[in-house]
Structures are given as structure tokens and as C-alpha cells.
Coordinates of all heavy atoms in Angstrom, one line a residue:
M8 N 63.3 224.2 182.2 CA 62.9 224.0 183.5 C 63.7 225.0 184.5 O 64.9 225.2 184.4 CB 63.3 222.6 184.0 CG 62.8 222.3 185.4 SD 63.4 220.6 185.9 CE 62.3 219.6 185.1
A9 N 62.9 225.6 185.4 CA 63.5 226.6 186.3 C 64.3 225.9 187.4 O 64.0 224.8 187.9 CB 62.3 227.4 187.0
E10 N 65.4 226.6 187.8 CA 66.2 226.2 188.9 C 65.5 226.2 190.2 O 64.8 227.1 190.5 CB 67.5 227.1 189.0 CG 68.5 226.9 187.9 CD 69.3 225.6 188.2 OE1 69.7 225.4 189.3 OE2 69.5 224.9 187.2
P11 N 65.7 225.3 191.1 CA 65.0 225.2 192.4 C 65.6 226.4 193.2 O 66.7 226.7 193.0 CB 65.4 224.0 193.0 CG 66.2 223.0 191.9 CD 66.4 224.0 190.8
E12 N 64.8 227.0 193.9 CA 65.2 228.1 194.7 C 66.2 227.7 195.7 O 66.1 226.5 196.3 CB 64.0 228.8 195.5 CG 63.5 230.0 194.8 CD 62.5 230.8 195.6 OE1 62.8 231.2 196.8 OE2 61.3 230.9 195.1
K13 N 67.1 228.6 196.0 CA 68.2 228.3 197.1 C 67.7 228.7 198.4 O 67.1 229.8 198.5 CB 69.5 228.9 196.7 CG 70.1 228.3 195.5 CD 71.5 228.9 195.2 CE 72.1 228.3 194.0 NZ 73.4 228.9 193.6
N14 N 68.0 227.9 199.4 CA 67.5 228.3 200.8 C 68.7 229.0 201.4 O 70.0 228.7 201.1 CB 67.2 226.9 201.5 CG 66.0 226.4 201.1 OD1 64.9 227.1 200.9 ND2 66.0 225.0 200.8
R15 N 68.5 229.8 202.4 CA 69.5 230.5 203.1 C 69.3 230.2 204.6 O 68.1 230.3 205.1 CB 69.4 232.0 202.9 CG 69.8 232.4 201.5 CD 69.6 233.9 201.2 NE 69.7 234.3 199.9 CZ 70.9 234.9 199.4 NH1 71.9 235.2 200.2 NH2 70.9 235.1 198.1
V16 N 70.4 230.1 205.3 CA 70.3 229.9 206.7 C 71.6 230.4 207.4 O 72.7 230.3 206.9 CB 70.0 228.4 207.1 CG1 71.2 227.6 206.7 CG2 69.7 228.2 208.6
S17 N 71.5 231.0 208.6 CA 72.5 231.3 209.4 C 72.9 230.3 210.4 O 72.0 229.8 211.1 CB 72.2 232.7 210.2 OG 73.3 233.1 211.0
V18 N 74.1 229.8 210.4 CA 74.6 228.8 211.3 C 75.8 229.2 212.0 O 76.6 230.1 211.7 CB 74.9 227.5 210.5 CG1 73.6 227.0 209.8 CG2 76.0 227.7 209.5
D19 N 76.1 228.6 213.2 CA 77.2 228.9 214.0 C 78.1 227.6 214.0 O 77.5 226.5 214.3 CB 76.8 229.2 215.5 CG 76.2 230.5 215.7 OD1 76.6 231.4 214.9 OD2 75.1 230.5 216.4
I20 N 79.4 227.8 213.7 CA 80.3 226.7 213.7 C 81.5 227.1 214.4 O 82.2 228.2 214.0 CB 80.7 226.3 212.2 CG1 79.4 225.9 211.4 CG2 81.8 225.2 212.2 CD1 79.7 225.6 209.9
Y21 N 81.8 226.5 215.5 CA 83.0 226.7 216.4 C 83.1 228.3 216.7 O 84.2 228.9 216.6 CB 84.2 226.2 215.7 CG 85.4 226.0 216.6 CD1 85.4 225.0 217.5 CD2 86.6 226.7 216.6 CE1 86.4 224.6 218.3 CE2 87.6 226.5 217.4 CZ 87.5 225.5 218.3 OH 88.5 225.2 219.2
G22 N 82.0 228.8 217.1 CA 82.0 230.2 217.6 C 81.9 231.3 216.5 O 82.0 232.5 216.9
Q23 N 81.7 230.9 215.3 CA 81.7 231.8 214.2 C 80.3 231.6 213.5 O 79.8 230.5 213.3 CB 82.8 231.6 213.1 CG 84.1 231.8 213.7 CD 84.4 233.4 213.9 OE1 84.1 234.2 213.1 NE2 85.1 233.6 215.1
T24 N 79.7 232.7 213.0 CA 78.5 232.6 212.3 C 78.7 232.6 210.8 O 79.6 233.5 210.3 CB 77.6 233.8 212.6 OG1 77.4 233.8 214.1 CG2 76.2 233.8 212.0
Y25 N 78.1 231.8 210.1 CA 78.2 231.7 208.6 C 76.9 231.7 208.0 O 75.9 231.2 208.5 CB 78.9 230.4 208.2 CG 80.3 230.2 208.8 CD1 80.5 229.7 210.0 CD2 81.4 230.7 208.0 CE1 81.8 229.5 210.5 CE2 82.7 230.6 208.5 CZ 82.9 230.0 209.7 OH 84.2 229.9 210.1
Q26 N 76.8 232.3 206.9 CA 75.5 232.3 206.1 C 75.7 231.2 205.0 O 76.5 231.2 204.2 CB 75.4 233.7 205.4 CG 75.2 234.8 206.3 CD 74.0 234.7 207.2 OE1 73.0 234.3 206.8 NE2 74.3 235.0 208.5
M27 N 74.8 230.1 205.1 CA 74.8 229.1 204.2 C 73.7 229.4 203.2 O 72.6 229.8 203.5 CB 74.7 227.7 204.8 CG 75.8 227.4 205.8 SD 75.5 225.8 206.5 CE 75.5 224.6 205.1
M28 N 74.0 228.9 201.9 CA 73.0 229.1 200.8 C 73.1 227.7 200.0 O 74.2 227.3 199.7 CB 73.3 230.2 200.0 CG 72.2 230.4 198.9 SD 72.4 232.0 198.0 CE 74.0 231.8 197.2
G29 N 72.0 227.2 199.7 CA 72.1 225.9 198.9 C 70.7 225.5 198.6 O 69.7 226.0 199.0
K30 N 70.6 224.4 197.8 CA 69.4 223.7 197.3 C 68.9 222.8 198.4 O 67.7 222.3 198.3 CB 69.6 223.1 196.0 CG 70.0 224.0 194.9 CD 70.2 223.3 193.6 CE 70.7 224.3 192.5 NZ 71.1 223.6 191.3
E31 N 69.7 222.4 199.4 CA 69.2 221.5 200.3 C 68.2 222.2 201.3 O 68.2 223.4 201.3 CB 70.5 221.0 201.2 CG 71.5 220.4 200.4 CD 71.1 219.0 199.8 OE1 70.0 218.4 200.1 OE2 71.7 218.6 198.8
T32 N 67.5 221.4 202.0 CA 66.7 222.0 203.0 C 67.4 222.8 204.1 O 68.6 222.5 204.4 CB 65.7 221.0 203.6 OG1 66.5 220.1 204.5 CG2 64.9 220.1 202.7
V33 N 66.7 223.7 204.8 CA 67.3 224.4 205.9 C 67.6 223.4 207.0 O 68.8 223.6 207.6 CB 66.3 225.5 206.4 CG1 66.9 226.1 207.8 CG2 66.2 226.6 205.4
G34 N 66.9 222.5 207.2 CA 67.2 221.4 208.2 C 68.4 220.7 207.9 O 69.3 220.4 208.8
H35 N 68.6 220.3 206.7 CA 69.8 219.7 206.3 C 71.1 220.4 206.4 O 72.1 220.0 206.9 CB 69.7 219.2 204.7 CG 70.9 218.5 204.3 ND1 71.1 217.1 204.4 CD2 71.9 218.9 203.6 CE1 72.2 216.7 203.9 NE2 72.7 217.8 203.3
M36 N 71.0 221.7 206.0 CA 72.1 222.6 206.1 C 72.5 222.9 207.6 O 73.6 222.8 207.9 CB 71.8 223.9 205.4 CG 71.8 223.8 204.0 SD 71.8 225.3 203.1 CE 70.2 225.9 203.3
R37 N 71.4 222.9 208.5 CA 71.7 223.0 209.9 C 72.4 221.8 210.4 O 73.3 221.9 211.4 CB 70.4 223.3 210.6 CG 70.0 224.8 210.5 CD 68.7 225.0 211.5 NE 68.0 226.2 211.1 CZ 68.4 227.5 211.4 NH1 69.5 227.6 212.2 NH2 67.7 228.5 211.1
L38 N 71.9 220.7 210.0 CA 72.5 219.3 210.5 C 74.0 219.3 210.0 O 74.9 219.0 210.8 CB 71.7 218.2 209.9 CG 72.4 216.8 210.2 CD1 72.4 216.6 211.7 CD2 71.5 215.8 209.5
V39 N 74.3 219.7 208.8 CA 75.7 219.7 208.3 C 76.5 220.6 209.2 O 77.7 220.2 209.6 CB 75.8 220.1 206.8 CG1 77.2 220.4 206.5 CG2 75.2 219.0 206.0
A40 N 76.1 221.8 209.4 CA 76.8 222.7 210.2 C 77.1 222.2 211.7 O 78.0 222.3 212.3 CB 76.1 224.1 210.3
S41 N 76.0 221.6 212.2 CA 76.1 221.0 213.5 C 77.0 219.9 213.6 O 77.9 219.9 214.5 CB 74.7 220.5 214.0 OG 74.8 219.9 215.2
L42 N 77.1 219.1 212.6 CA 78.0 217.9 212.5 C 79.5 218.5 212.5 O 80.4 218.1 213.1 CB 77.8 217.1 211.4 CG 76.5 216.2 211.6 CD1 76.1 215.4 210.3 CD2 76.7 215.2 212.8
V43 N 79.7 219.6 211.6 CA 81.1 220.1 211.5 C 81.5 220.7 212.9 O 82.6 220.6 213.3 CB 81.0 221.2 210.3 CG1 82.3 222.0 210.4 CG2 80.9 220.5 209.0
D44 N 80.5 221.4 213.5 CA 80.8 222.0 214.7 C 81.2 221.0 215.8 O 82.2 221.2 216.5 CB 79.6 222.8 215.3 CG 79.8 223.6 216.6 OD1 80.6 224.6 216.6 OD2 79.3 223.2 217.5
D45 N 80.4 219.9 215.8 CA 80.7 218.8 216.8 C 82.1 218.3 216.6 O 82.9 218.0 217.4 CB 79.7 217.8 216.7 CG 78.4 218.1 217.3 OD1 78.2 219.2 217.9 OD2 77.4 217.4 216.9
M46 N 82.5 218.0 215.2 CA 83.8 217.4 214.9 C 84.9 218.5 215.3 O 85.9 218.0 215.8 CB 83.8 217.2 213.4 CG 82.8 216.0 213.0 SD 82.6 215.9 211.3 CE 84.1 215.3 210.7
M47 N 84.7 219.7 215.0 CA 85.8 220.7 215.4 C 86.0 220.7 217.0 O 87.1 220.7 217.4 CB 85.4 222.0 214.8 CG 85.6 222.2 213.3 SD 85.3 223.8 212.7 CE 86.8 224.7 213.2
R48 N 84.9 220.7 217.7 CA 85.0 220.7 219.1 C 85.6 219.4 219.6 O 86.4 219.4 220.6 CB 83.6 221.0 219.7 CG 83.1 222.3 219.4 CD 81.7 222.7 220.1 NE 81.4 224.0 219.6 CZ 81.8 225.2 220.1 NH1 82.8 225.2 220.9 NH2 81.3 226.3 219.5
E49 N 85.3 218.3 219.1 CA 85.9 217.1 219.4 C 87.4 217.0 219.2 O 88.2 216.7 220.1 CB 85.3 215.8 218.7 CG 85.9 214.5 219.1 CD 85.4 213.3 218.3 OE1 84.3 213.5 217.8 OE2 85.9 212.3 218.5
I50 N 87.9 217.5 218.1 CA 89.3 217.7 217.7 C 90.0 218.6 218.7 O 91.0 218.4 219.2 CB 89.5 218.1 216.3 CG1 89.2 216.9 215.4 CG2 90.9 218.5 216.0 CD1 89.2 217.3 213.9
S51 N 89.3 219.8 219.0 CA 89.9 220.8 219.8 C 90.1 220.2 221.3 O 91.0 220.6 222.0 CB 89.0 221.9 219.8 OG 89.4 222.9 220.8
S52 N 89.1 219.4 221.7 CA 89.2 218.9 223.1 C 90.3 217.9 223.3 O 90.8 217.8 224.4 CB 87.8 218.2 223.5 OG 87.7 216.9 222.7
K53 N 90.8 217.3 222.2 CA 91.9 216.4 222.3 C 93.2 217.0 222.0 O 94.3 216.4 222.2 CB 91.6 215.2 221.3 CG 90.5 214.4 221.7 CD 90.1 213.2 220.6 CE 88.9 212.5 221.0 NZ 88.6 211.5 220.0
N54 N 93.2 218.2 221.4 CA 94.4 219.0 221.0 C 94.3 220.4 221.4 O 94.0 221.3 220.5 CB 94.6 218.8 219.5 CG 94.7 217.4 219.0 OD1 95.7 216.7 219.2 ND2 93.6 216.8 218.4
R55 N 94.3 220.7 222.7 CA 94.0 222.1 223.0 C 95.0 223.1 222.5 O 94.6 224.3 222.5 CB 94.2 222.1 224.6 CG 93.1 221.3 225.3 CD 91.9 222.1 225.6 NE 90.9 221.4 226.3 CZ 89.6 221.6 226.1 NH1 89.3 222.6 225.3 NH2 88.7 220.8 226.7
S56 N 96.1 222.7 222.0 CA 97.1 223.8 221.5 C 96.9 224.2 220.0 O 97.5 225.0 219.6 CB 98.5 223.2 221.7 OG 98.7 222.1 220.9
L57 N 95.9 223.5 219.4 CA 95.7 223.8 217.9 C 94.9 225.1 217.8 O 94.0 225.3 218.5 CB 95.0 222.7 217.2 CG 95.7 221.3 217.2 CD1 94.8 220.3 216.6 CD2 97.0 221.5 216.4
D58 N 95.3 225.8 216.7 CA 94.5 227.1 216.4 C 93.3 226.6 215.5 O 93.2 225.5 215.1 CB 95.3 228.1 215.8 CG 95.9 227.8 214.5 OD1 95.4 226.9 213.8 OD2 97.0 228.2 214.1
T59 N 92.4 227.6 215.4 CA 91.2 227.3 214.6 C 91.5 226.7 213.2 O 90.8 225.9 212.7 CB 90.3 228.5 214.5 OG1 90.1 229.0 215.9 CG2 89.0 228.3 213.9
T60 N 92.5 227.3 212.5 CA 92.8 226.9 211.1 C 93.1 225.4 211.1 O 92.7 224.7 210.2 CB 93.8 227.8 210.5 OG1 93.4 229.1 210.5 CG2 94.2 227.3 209.1
K61 N 94.0 225.0 212.0 CA 94.5 223.6 212.1 C 93.3 222.7 212.4 O 93.2 221.6 211.9 CB 95.6 223.5 213.0 CG 96.9 224.1 212.5 CD 98.0 223.9 213.4 CE 99.3 224.6 212.7 NZ 100.4 224.8 213.6
I62 N 92.5 223.1 213.4 CA 91.2 222.3 213.8 C 90.4 222.1 212.5 O 89.9 221.1 212.3 CB 90.5 223.0 214.9 CG1 91.3 222.9 216.2 CG2 89.2 222.3 215.1 CD1 90.9 223.8 217.3
A63 N 90.2 223.2 211.7 CA 89.4 223.2 210.5 C 90.0 222.2 209.5 O 89.3 221.4 208.9 CB 89.1 224.6 209.9
V64 N 91.3 222.3 209.3 CA 91.9 221.4 208.2 C 91.8 220.0 208.8 O 91.6 219.1 207.9 CB 93.4 221.9 208.1 CG1 94.2 220.8 207.3 CG2 93.4 223.2 207.4
L65 N 92.1 219.7 210.0 CA 91.9 218.4 210.5 C 90.6 217.8 210.3 O 90.3 216.6 210.0 CB 92.4 218.2 212.0 CG 93.8 218.4 212.2 CD1 94.2 218.4 213.6 CD2 94.6 217.2 211.6
T66 N 89.5 218.6 210.6 CA 88.2 218.3 210.4 C 87.9 217.9 208.9 O 87.2 217.0 208.6 CB 87.2 219.4 210.8 OG1 87.5 219.7 212.2 CG2 85.8 219.1 210.6
A67 N 88.5 218.8 208.0 CA 88.3 218.5 206.6 C 89.0 217.2 206.2 O 88.4 216.4 205.5 CB 88.8 219.6 205.8
L68 N 90.2 217.0 206.7 CA 90.9 215.7 206.4 C 90.0 214.5 206.9 O 90.0 213.5 206.1 CB 92.2 215.7 207.0 CG 93.2 216.7 206.4 CD1 94.6 216.8 207.2 CD2 93.6 216.2 205.0
N69 N 89.5 214.6 208.1 CA 88.7 213.4 208.6 C 87.5 213.2 207.8 O 87.1 212.1 207.6 CB 88.5 213.7 210.2 CG 89.6 213.6 211.0 OD1 90.6 213.0 210.7 ND2 89.6 214.2 212.1
T70 N 86.9 214.3 207.4 CA 85.7 214.2 206.7 C 85.9 213.5 205.3 O 85.1 212.7 204.9 CB 85.0 215.6 206.5 OG1 84.8 216.1 207.8 CG2 83.7 215.5 205.7
V71 N 86.9 214.0 204.6 CA 87.2 213.5 203.3 C 87.6 211.9 203.4 O 87.2 211.1 202.6 CB 88.3 214.3 202.6 CG1 88.9 213.5 201.3 CG2 87.8 215.6 202.3
N72 N 88.4 211.6 204.5 CA 88.8 210.2 204.8 C 87.5 209.4 205.0 O 87.5 208.3 204.3 CB 89.7 210.2 205.9 CG 90.1 208.7 206.3 OD1 90.6 208.1 205.4 ND2 89.9 208.3 207.5
D73 N 86.6 209.9 205.8 CA 85.4 209.1 206.0 C 84.6 209.0 204.7 O 84.0 207.9 204.4 CB 84.5 209.8 207.0 CG 85.1 209.7 208.4 OD1 86.0 209.0 208.7 OD2 84.6 210.5 209.3
S74 N 84.5 210.0 203.9 CA 83.8 209.9 202.6 C 84.4 208.9 201.7 O 83.6 208.1 201.0 CB 83.8 211.3 202.0 OG 83.2 211.2 200.7
L75 N 85.7 208.9 201.6 CA 86.4 207.9 200.7 C 86.2 206.5 201.2 O 86.0 205.6 200.3 CB 88.0 208.3 200.7 CG 88.4 209.5 199.9 CD1 89.8 209.7 200.0 CD2 88.0 209.3 198.5
K76 N 86.3 206.2 202.5 CA 85.9 204.9 203.0 C 84.6 204.5 202.6 O 84.3 203.4 202.2 CB 86.2 204.9 204.5 CG 87.6 204.9 204.9 CD 87.7 204.9 206.4 CE 89.1 204.8 206.9 NZ 89.2 204.8 208.4
L77 N 83.6 205.4 202.7 CA 82.2 205.1 202.4 C 82.1 204.8 200.9 O 81.4 203.9 200.5 CB 81.2 206.2 202.8 CG 81.0 206.3 204.3 CD1 80.3 207.6 204.6 CD2 80.3 205.1 204.9
K78 N 82.7 205.5 200.1 CA 82.7 205.3 198.6 C 83.3 203.9 198.3 O 82.7 203.2 197.5 CB 83.4 206.4 197.9 CG 82.7 207.7 197.8 CD 83.4 208.8 197.1 CE 82.7 210.1 197.1 NZ 83.4 211.2 196.3
E79 N 84.4 203.6 198.9 CA 85.0 202.2 198.7 C 84.1 201.2 199.1 O 84.0 200.1 198.5 CB 86.3 202.3 199.5 CG 87.4 203.1 198.9 CD 88.6 203.2 199.8 OE1 88.7 202.6 201.0 OE2 89.6 203.9 199.3
R80 N 83.4 201.3 200.2 CA 82.6 200.3 200.8 C 81.4 200.2 199.9 O 80.9 199.0 199.6 CB 82.0 200.7 202.2 CG 81.2 199.6 202.8 CD 81.9 198.3 203.0 NE 81.0 197.3 203.6 CZ 80.9 196.0 203.2 NH1 81.8 195.6 202.3 NH2 80.1 195.3 203.8
V81 N 80.8 201.3 199.3 CA 79.7 201.2 198.4 C 80.2 200.4 197.2 O 79.4 199.6 196.7 CB 79.1 202.6 198.1 CG1 78.2 202.5 196.8 CG2 78.4 203.2 199.2
E82 N 81.3 200.7 196.7 CA 81.8 200.0 195.5 C 81.9 198.5 195.8 O 81.6 197.8 194.9 CB 83.2 200.7 195.1 CG 83.7 200.2 193.8 CD 84.9 201.0 193.4 OE1 84.8 202.2 193.2 OE2 86.0 200.4 193.2
E83 N 82.4 198.2 196.9 CA 82.6 196.8 197.3 C 81.2 196.1 197.3 O 81.0 195.0 196.7 CB 83.2 196.6 198.7 CG 84.7 196.9 198.8 CD 85.2 197.0 200.2 OE1 84.4 196.6 201.1 OE2 86.4 197.4 200.4
L84 N 80.2 196.7 197.9 CA 78.8 196.2 198.0 C 78.3 196.0 196.7 O 77.6 195.1 196.3 CB 78.0 197.0 198.9 CG 78.4 196.9 200.3 CD1 77.6 198.0 201.1 CD2 78.1 195.6 201.0
E85 N 78.5 197.1 195.8 CA 78.0 197.0 194.4 C 78.6 195.9 193.6 O 78.0 195.1 192.9 CB 78.2 198.3 193.6 CG 77.3 199.5 194.1 CD 77.7 200.8 193.5 OE1 78.8 201.0 192.9 OE2 76.8 201.7 193.5
N86 N 79.8 195.6 193.8 CA 80.6 194.5 193.2 C 80.0 193.2 193.6 O 79.8 192.2 192.9 CB 82.1 194.6 193.4 CG 82.7 195.6 192.6 OD1 82.2 196.1 191.6 ND2 84.0 196.0 193.1
E87 N 79.8 193.0 195.0 CA 79.2 191.8 195.5 C 77.8 191.6 194.9 O 77.5 190.5 194.6 CB 79.1 191.9 197.1 CG 80.4 191.8 197.8 CD 80.3 191.9 199.2 OE1 79.3 191.5 199.9 OE2 81.4 192.4 199.9
L88 N 77.0 192.6 194.9 CA 75.6 192.5 194.3 C 75.7 192.1 192.9 O 74.9 191.2 192.4 CB 74.9 193.9 194.4 CG 73.5 193.9 194.0 CD1 72.6 193.0 194.7 CD2 73.0 195.3 194.0
N89 N 76.6 192.6 192.1 CA 76.7 192.3 190.6 C 77.1 190.8 190.5 O 76.7 190.1 189.6 CB 77.7 193.2 189.9 CG 77.1 194.6 189.7 OD1 75.9 194.7 189.7 ND2 78.1 195.6 189.6
Q90 N 78.0 190.4 191.4 CA 78.4 189.0 191.4 C 77.3 188.1 191.7 O 77.1 187.0 191.1 CB 79.6 188.7 192.3 CG 80.9 189.3 191.8 CD 82.0 189.1 192.9 OE1 81.8 188.5 194.0 NE2 83.2 189.5 192.5
L91 N 76.4 188.4 192.7 CA 75.3 187.7 193.1 C 74.2 187.6 192.0 O 73.5 186.5 191.8 CB 74.7 188.2 194.4 CG 75.4 188.0 195.6 CD1 74.8 188.8 196.8 CD2 75.6 186.6 196.0
K92 N 74.1 188.7 191.1 CA 73.2 188.7 190.1 C 73.6 187.9 188.9 O 72.9 187.5 188.1 CB 73.0 190.2 189.6 CG 72.2 191.0 190.5 CD 72.1 192.5 189.9 CE 71.2 193.3 190.7 NZ 71.1 194.7 190.1
G93 N 74.9 187.5 188.9 CA 75.5 186.7 187.8 C 75.8 187.3 186.6 O 75.9 187.1 185.5

């Protein structure tokens, strides 16, 4: 089976242009970039003295934290579902 074609898109994140490439739709990749840009700008607005690298690291830490919380919640819900199924 052939690999799906990769999409390419140019996005702006925190004043920098990046070329994204992936199997996701262009719309999805733009959304991801927009959310990262929004998160970086929010962190920057609350911490004006931080440089771009620190803002990016804090954005990554917050994103991973949110992801872990969601995974834990999914696991809890799956356990509840399994208990209800008996």
C-alpha cells in the first residue's frame, strides 16, 4: 500500500515562518500552528521579560502537561466504562 502524500504549508508562529510537512490536512496543520502561536503570545503577555526560547519551552511544558492530564482522564473514563460493562 502506498504511503499517503504529505501536505506542506507555510505557517507563522510568534513572528517566525515555518514550513510544516505532514500527513494531516493543511487546515489541521494551520490550526496547530495557530494554537501554538496563541499559547506563546499568552505566555509572553504575562511574562514580558522572557526570551523566545523560554516562551517556547514553557509552551511545550504546558502542552505536554495538558496532554498527560487528558490521557489520565481518558484512562479513568475507560476504567469506569469497563466497570459498568461488568
Side-chain angles (χ1 to χ4, degrees):
M8 182 187 283
E10 283 284 316
E12 262 191 57
K13 292 184 179 179
N14 293 311
R15 293 175 188 256
V16 63
S17 178
V18 298
D19 291 319
I20 301 173
Y21 204 67
Q23 297 291 316
T24 301
Y25 296 90
Q26 299 300 317
M27 292 180 68
M28 184 173 65
K30 295 177 186 177
E31 303 294 340
T32 65
V33 168
H35 179 83
M36 289 189 288
R37 285 188 193 280
L38 177 61
V39 169
S41 176
L42 291 171
V43 170
D44 182 68
D45 290 347
M46 293 166 70
M47 289 183 71
R48 290 183 188 285
E49 181 180 347
I50 290 170
S51 175
S52 73
K53 294 177 182 176
N54 304 282
R55 294 267 180 213
S56 64
L57 296 177
D58 63 26
T59 302
T60 300
K61 288 181 179 164
I62 293 167
V64 169
L65 288 172
T66 299
L68 289 170
N69 288 338
T70 302
V71 171
N72 181 54
D73 290 346
S74 177
L75 287 174
K76 285 181 180 180
L77 287 172
K78 286 179 184 180
E79 290 169 358
R80 184 64 180 139
V81 166
E82 196 173 290
E83 289 171 6
L84 291 171
E85 286 174 341
N86 289 337
E87 288 179 28
L88 182 60
N89 288 335
Q90 287 177 357
L91 290 172
K92 286 181 177 179

